[in-house]
Structures are given as structure tokens and as C-alpha cells.
Amino acid sequence: MIMTDDSTGEWPLHRLMTDVVGSGHKSADDMTRSQAREAMNRILAGEPAETTLGAFWLANRWKRNTPEELAAFVDVLREESVRTATPEADPVDCGANYDGKGSTALLGVAAGLVAAAAGTPVVVHSGDRVPTQKQTAYRHVLEALGVRTDLEPDESADMVDDVGFGFYYQPNVDPGTTALLDRRDEMGVRTFLNTVETLIDPANATVHLGSFYHLAFAKKLAGTLEASRELPFERALFVQGLEGYDDVRPGSTTIAEWDGGEGIADATIETAEYGFGASEDALEVADVAADSATITEDVLAGERTDAFADAVALNAALRMYAREDVADINTGVETAREILQSGEASAKLNALRAF
């Protein structure tokens, strides 16, 4: 049965459309925090009619959400939907775009295991073929590696503490957002849920590693973390990601740091200065899930010293640096290369499979 948007409350989505967000890209107003909270609560409750919900999502895409709106959305998710489980370790939270990558290798599993072997615990989370791209995400590479992914939150936290690397699965930690996948698929374009689902922090980590296409979006994400009243993040590192994921883009790229206050500090780096001089083309693969799994095994076993190994070392270094376990990125790269030579990261992969 299609539900209507007429329950008790001041701001049903239909009114938000007509009075606030729906008048067009240039003339639309932003929602207050309370309005955005009410909207997210109504969406999770299944109140809005399908047409109204789709129009609301599209109107927000046109007008572009503010950090305060995004913070309100993620706060409601944390309060009403997200099932957190906190490991004893304080890991780096990696919530790359849930709708995945389509042409280049996904290296976050390999990078996370190298970082874990160096003493930096890492958490990743994703869904399963999330719209709009419905491409390869963390879960698919882990499954191709023979790692169990359909974990309850407490099991995910135990994985972090046992291995140093853990995976949280969207249907088990955020059922409210998962229930909206069909509606999102019918939209055909990304909605604000594609942003906020990456920020839910199911492990209650205090450090976040995120990604962006353009620096303006990194600033918006930092503002969202600052405005949130539920997220425990105290620090975040944002990288200009390859295909929008959290694998750093090779070449001239931007890194942005947020340390809990207003604004971010950003710098442009040349990845070749950190031993990663390949082009994006060198990281392309035919089957992202299967090939990424094979590359992960080979790099961690020390059987590859090519562009993929260089990319893994740099991405592992960024995870260490995000948590401030190394003084700078160069030190992190040196540490990562030592870990790869020692075989310790391959042992972490074996432990992950055995969990």
C-alpha cells in the first residue's frame, strides 16, 4: 500500500517541497535542522508517497544540501536506524561510496590490511550493489577473497579487535537505509543518501577517511562532521579519490585534513614523490571484484612490485597518517613497504579469512 505524507507534524515532505526546497535550483531555500530531521524521520517511517519522495530527493539534488542538512540526516540515521558496535581498538573509519567502482582496482582491502599490520586498525563498510552505479564495493572484494561479510555488528567489532581490520555490512547496521534501495534505484540518480550512508560510522570511530571529486565537496563533508550532534569523529582525512572511492587518484591530487574545528587544511601532492608514479590507466582491470582480490593476494604476498603495489603502499600510508600513527605520509609509505616485505600483511589476510 502506498502511504501518504499526512501524519501529525509541521513539515510533511509535500509542504517542504512547496514551501522550501522545491521551487528550483536558484530560488529554493535550505531547510533548518529541525525541518531536515523531520524529513528524514518521515522517510524512515515510510510516510511519503512514492512521487513525493522522489520529487523531494530530486529537489535536494538540484538545490544541493548544506552541511547542516546533511548532519541532520545522518544524526537521524544514527538515532533511528544505525546499529553500532564499538571495538576496543579505535579504528580509522573508511566508508567509501557504497555504489562502488567500475573500472579500476579497489585497493582499500589491501591498504587496510597493510595499515592493520603496521598497528593502525581499520574499519570498512558498504552495501551490496547500491544504486545508482550498483558496482563493486568493499563487500564484493572481501567475498572474492573468501572473507565472511554477512556479519552482525558485534561480530564486525570482534573482527576489528581480532584482526585489526573489520567489515560492517549495511543491511545489518543500517536497515532503514537498506529498505530504501528500491526507491533509490527507481530514481536513476544519486540522492543525499549516497552521501550520508558513508558517514554513519558503525564502529564509533573517532577518525574518518573519506574521498571527494572536488575540494568544495570535501569542505561540505567537513562541515557535516562539525555540525553533527551524533557522530564521534574528531579528525578526518579526505583524499581526491579514484572513481570517487577512497583509493587516492594518481598524479597531482589533493589531500584535505579536518581536525575537529571549522574548515579544513588542504594541499596538493604529487603521488610520484611517494613512489606512486603510474597513471590511472595502469590501475584499470577487467573484473573489479575478482581482479582486485587477486591483486590484493599478490601484493600482500610480495609477488607484485608494480603500480598496484605502489598504490597500496600509499593508500596504507594515508590510513596511518589519518590516525596520526605516523608523523607524515613519507614515513607511512616507508612503513607500508617494510610491512609488505615482511609478509605480515599476508598473515593479516589469512587471519581475516579464518575469522
Side-chain angles (χ1 to χ4, degrees):
M1 180 179 69
I2 297 176
M3 301 191 70
T4 59
D5 191 17
D6 59 359
S7 67
T8 302
E10 186 179 358
W11 290 100
L13 260 64
H14 189 275
R15 183 183 176 198
L16 282 172
M17 279 293 300
T18 56
D19 291 2
V20 185
V21 302
S23 61
H25 177 63
K26 294 183 178 180
S27 58
D29 292 324
D30 297 322
M31 290 177 282
T32 65
R33 180 186 292 268
S34 62
Q35 288 171 335
R37 282 184 56 86
E38 183 173 341
M40 192 71 240
N41 271 307
R42 288 176 178 275
I43 291 169
L44 290 178
E47 289 184 13
E50 293 179 5
T51 302
T52 303
L53 178 58
F56 181 76
W57 276 339
L58 193 58
N60 277 273
R61 180 179 172 88
W62 283 339
K63 85 167 193 67
R64 300 177 183 176
N65 288 115
T66 66
E68 185 172 61
E69 289 171 337
L70 294 172
F73 297 150
V74 76
D75 283 354
V76 170
L77 284 180
R78 292 265 303 180
E79 293 165 1
E80 302 296 334
S81 176
V82 176
R83 300 170 60 206
T84 64
T86 310
E88 291 184 13
D90 185 11
V92 177
D93 171 78
C94 300
N97 289 344
Y98 278 21
D99 61 353
K101 298 180 76 174
S103 62
T104 58
L106 193 155
L107 302 174
V109 175
L113 289 167
V114 172
T120 298
V122 172
V123 155
V124 302
H125 44 100
S126 80
D128 189 8
R129 307 298 176 187
V130 170
T132 56
Q133 297 185 145
K134 297 193 283 188
Q135 294 178 331
T136 299
Y138 273 118
R139 185 194 190 206
H140 309 112
V141 177
L142 289 166
E143 287 198 319
L145 286 165
V147 176
R148 189 163 60 99
T149 60
D150 191 0
L151 303 168
E152 290 300 314
D154 288 344
E155 293 179 294
S156 298
D158 289 342
M159 180 184 277
V160 179
D161 287 328
D162 289 356
V163 181
F165 179 100
F167 174 74
Y168 287 70
Y169 183 35
Q170 184 185 38
N172 296 338
V173 299
D174 187 3
T177 302
T178 303
L180 294 164
L181 289 179
D182 288 346
R183 298 281 79 77
R184 295 167 66 184
D185 194 23
E186 291 175 357
M187 283 292 297
V189 295
R190 289 179 175 179
T191 72
F192 56 74
L193 290 176
N194 288 86
T195 298
V196 298
E197 68 191 351
T198 70
L199 301 176
I200 60 171
D201 193 16
N204 291 319
T206 60
V207 178
H208 175 70
L209 179 81
S211 64
F212 61 92
Y213 280 110
H214 305 291
L215 184 60
F217 188 68
K219 293 178 179 179
K220 180 176 291 190
L221 291 176
T224 300
L225 303 190
E226 181 187 349
S228 171
R229 297 174 182 174
E230 293 293 327
L231 289 171
F233 293 130
E234 299 172 0
R235 173 172 163 78
L237 187 72
F238 300 103
V239 302
Q240 198 164 24
L242 189 56
E243 295 189 72
Y245 223 70
D246 57 13
D247 299 317
V248 69
R249 189 181 72 184
S252 180
T253 193
T254 302
I255 307 292
E257 297 181 53
W258 174 76
D259 281 312
E262 294 185 7
I264 60 175
D266 63 275
T268 298
I269 67 168
E270 301 296 331
T271 61
E273 296 178 2
Y274 300 94
F276 179 27
S279 66
E280 293 184 17
D281 292 347
L283 301 180
E284 290 185 353
V285 292
D287 184 321
V288 176
D291 292 343
S292 297
T294 299
I295 290 164
T296 296
E297 292 177 306
D298 292 347
V299 169
L300 298 189
E303 296 174 2
R304 300 186 78 128
T305 57
D306 55 6
F308 293 108
D310 294 337
V312 168
L314 178 54
N315 281 290
L318 291 169
R319 284 151 176 76
M320 299 178 216
Y321 180 68
R323 196 169 177 267
E324 299 183 292
D325 291 334
V326 293
D328 51 52
I329 298 172
N330 263 324
T331 302
V333 171
E334 293 171 2
T335 302
R337 294 193 184 281
E338 291 172 2
I339 291 293
L340 287 170
Q341 291 174 2
S342 72
E344 294 175 69
S346 188
K348 286 289 185 185
L349 175 57
N350 290 336
L352 194 64
R353 285 169 162 157
F355 178 83

